Amino acid sequence: MSNLKKYFFSAKRIIPSVSSVTTILIILFSFLFSLTVIQLLESILFFAILVFLLILFISKNRNDELIAIKNVIEMIRTNSFHSADEIQLGNDLKELEDEIKSMFLRTQNDITNLKRLEQVRTEFLGNVSHELRTPIFAIQGYIETLLDGAINDENVNKSFLQKANQHTINLNNLLNDLINISMIESGQMLMSFRYFNIHEFLDGIIHELKPVAEKKNLELNLVEYNPKLQLFGDKQRLRQVMTNLIQNALKYTEIGKVEVGIIEEENTGRIFVRDTGIGISNNDVNRIFERFYRVDKDRSREMGGTGLGLAIVKHIVDAHGSKIELVSHLGKGSEFSFCLKK
C-alpha cells in the first residue's frame, strides 16, 4: 500500500505548495516592477483568483481519482472482479493500479488455497470416519453374534473372538497412523539425524520380517550393499519407512522374492525395495502416496492396511530432503527407492 500512501500525502501537499509559490511570485513581481499599493492589491487579487481556480481544478481531479479508487476497492470487497485485468485506474495512477492488481492476485490465490484446504479437510474427515466405522462395526457384529448364543458354539466362538481381536489391532494401527501423520503434517514430529551403518540397519529389519516371508514361501534378501557404508538420517523414522515398504512388498507378492539393497552413488546411497508382486497400474502410481488411497481396497483392509502407510513414508522421506520414487509394471512387480546423504 506504499503507493496509496504516497498518493494521499502528495494530495495534501499540493495546496500548501501552490500557496507558497503564489506568495513568492507576488513578492518577486512587486520588487522587480516597483508596483504601487493599488497595483500590488490587483496583483494579489489576480493571483488569488488564479490559485483558487487551480485548486478547484486539482481538487476536482483528485476527487474523481479518489472516487475511482473507492469504487475499485468496493468492487474487490464484493468480489465483482473476475480477473486483475478488469481493474483500471488510468495512466495517472498506473503505479497504484499495479499495486492493487498485485494485492488482488494475492488475495485470489489465498482464497483458492483456502478452498482447496477445506476440500482436503472434508475428504480427510470423510475417509477417517469410514475407516473407523469398518473395524468398529465388524467388532460390534462379532460380539453381538457371540452374545446371541454363538459363545456356546465351539465351532465358531473362538474364530469370532480371533476376528474381533484382529479388528481391534487394525483399529489401533489406524489410530497410531493418524497420530503419526498428524504430527508430521503439523511439524511436531521431532527428527534425530546422525550417521549410521546402513547395512546393519537393514539387516536387522530383514531379520525381523523373515518369518513373514517364510510363511508365504517368499525369499527376502539383502543385496547390493557396502557393509561399511554410513548414511545420514533418522534411524527410528527410517525404520518405519523400511518396515512399511517391505511389509507392503510381502503383502502384494504371492510368488518370487523381495529384495532390499543399497546402490552407492557419488554423494548418496540409494535404498530400494524390489518385489515380483502384482505391480501397480500407471493410473494408481500417480496417487499411491495419497492418504487413504488403496489400489485394492478390499484386499488392503483384509490384510490390516490403514491406507496411511505410504503417505507417512513420503512425508518422512521428504523430511530427509529426499524423494520417494516408484517404478512399477503391472503383473511383474514394483520398486520403491529413495536416497540418503553419505
Side-chain angles (χ1 to χ4, degrees):
M1 290 297 290
S2 58
N3 287 330
L4 188 60
K5 290 179 180 178
K6 289 178 182 178
Y7 173 81
F8 286 113
F9 289 155
S10 62
K12 291 179 179 180
R13 288 197 295 265
I14 287 174
I15 295 176
S17 299
V18 172
S19 300
S20 299
V21 171
T22 303
T23 303
I24 293 170
L25 287 174
I26 291 173
I27 295 172
L28 186 61
F29 270 55
S30 61
F31 176 77
L32 291 176
F33 300 104
S34 301
L35 300 177
T36 62
V37 175
I38 294 176
Q39 289 174 328
L40 183 60
L41 291 173
E42 289 175 348
S43 299
I44 292 173
L45 181 61
F46 171 75
F47 279 110
I49 294 172
L50 184 63
V51 169
F52 175 76
L53 293 174
L54 182 60
I55 291 173
L56 190 64
F57 173 76
I58 293 173
S59 298
K60 184 180 184 306
N61 189 43
R62 287 295 179 183
N63 189 56
D64 291 342
E65 292 175 345
L66 288 172
I67 291 173
I69 295 170
K70 181 180 178 182
N71 290 338
V72 165
I73 293 172
E74 179 63 22
M75 292 180 73
I76 292 175
R77 189 183 67 81
T78 56
N79 295 320
S80 300
F81 290 122
H82 297 94
S83 71
D85 294 333
E86 297 178 28
I87 299 173
Q88 301 292 333
L89 289 177
N91 294 330
D92 293 338
L93 299 173
K94 188 62 180 174
E95 288 187 23
L96 183 60
E97 178 185 304
D98 290 341
E99 188 156 335
I100 291 176
K101 285 182 177 179
S102 178
M103 291 173 57
F104 174 80
L105 291 173
R106 288 197 298 270
T107 302
Q108 291 296 102
N109 186 55
D110 290 343
I111 292 172
T112 301
N113 287 335
L114 286 173
K115 288 180 178 179
R116 182 181 61 80
L117 289 173
E118 178 62 23
Q119 182 179 355
V120 170
R121 187 186 71 86
T122 302
E123 291 177 357
F124 180 70
L125 289 175
N127 286 326
V128 169
S129 300
H130 178 74
E131 296 297 331
L132 288 172
R133 280 200 303 267
T134 302
I136 290 173
F137 285 171
I139 294 167
Q140 184 179 12
Y142 287 125
I143 292 175
E144 286 179 353
T145 304
L146 289 167
L147 290 174
D148 287 341
I151 190 69
N152 300 315
D153 187 344
E154 294 182 358
N155 294 320
V156 298
N157 55 10
K158 188 175 181 180
S159 173
F160 281 7
L161 287 172
Q162 288 174 338
K163 289 179 180 179
N165 181 61
Q166 184 58 50
H167 280 291
T168 62
I169 293 172
N170 295 344
L171 182 59
N172 183 61
N173 291 337
L174 173 60
L175 293 175
N176 286 334
D177 281 350
L178 284 171
I179 292 170
N180 282 332
I181 203 164
S182 175
M183 290 179 64
I184 292 169
E185 293 186 346
S186 63
Q188 296 179 12
M189 182 181 69
L190 299 177
M191 306 286 286
S192 177
F193 294 96
R194 63 192 65 189
Y195 282 99
F196 62 95
N197 186 294
I198 189 65
H199 169 257
E200 294 177 359
F201 171 73
L202 293 177
D203 191 51
I205 297 174
I206 288 175
H207 180 73
E208 290 177 7
L209 296 175
K210 272 279 189 182
V212 180
E214 291 172 354
K215 191 175 181 179
K216 295 185 68 176
N217 294 318
L218 297 172
E219 294 181 30
L220 175 58
N221 300 314
L222 180 60
V223 299
E224 297 184 45
Y225 62 87
N226 175 355
K228 296 182 180 180
L229 180 61
Q230 298 275 324
L231 296 181
F232 188 70
D234 184 323
K235 284 181 66 176
Q236 181 183 350
R237 300 301 176 185
L238 289 171
R239 173 176 290 276
Q240 193 174 355
V241 168
M242 294 309 301
T243 301
N244 185 281
L245 292 178
I246 296 171
Q247 284 180 337
N248 278 352
L250 293 171
K251 188 184 299 182
Y252 296 104
T253 300
E254 299 300 330
I255 301 174
K257 58 187 176 182
V258 174
E259 294 180 332
V260 181
I262 316 106
I263 300 174
E264 188 172 358
E265 300 174 350
E266 185 177 357
N267 298 312
T268 61
R270 177 173 290 277
I271 303 170
F272 66 84
V273 177
R274 182 190 301 145
D275 65 60
T276 57
I278 60 176
I280 304 168
S281 69
N282 290 332
N283 292 334
D284 292 318
V285 164
N286 296 326
R287 300 191 60 191
I288 197 71
F289 296 104
E290 293 180 12
R291 294 176 298 185
F292 295 113
Y293 188 80
R294 293 183 174 95
V295 175
D296 188 341
K297 295 183 179 180
D298 293 333
R299 183 176 183 180
S300 178
R301 287 198 187 93
E302 182 182 337
M303 295 180 174
T306 65
L308 292 171
L310 288 177
I312 293 173
V313 165
K314 180 180 182 302
H315 280 298
I316 294 174
V317 172
D318 287 348
H320 282 75
S322 186
K323 179 182 179 182
I324 186 77
E325 296 181 358
L326 168 61
V327 177
S328 185
H329 302 284
L330 199 59
K332 295 183 178 180
S334 305
E335 179 179 307
F336 289 84
S337 66
F338 62 94
C339 292
L340 291 177
K341 291 186 290 187
K342 290 169 63 175

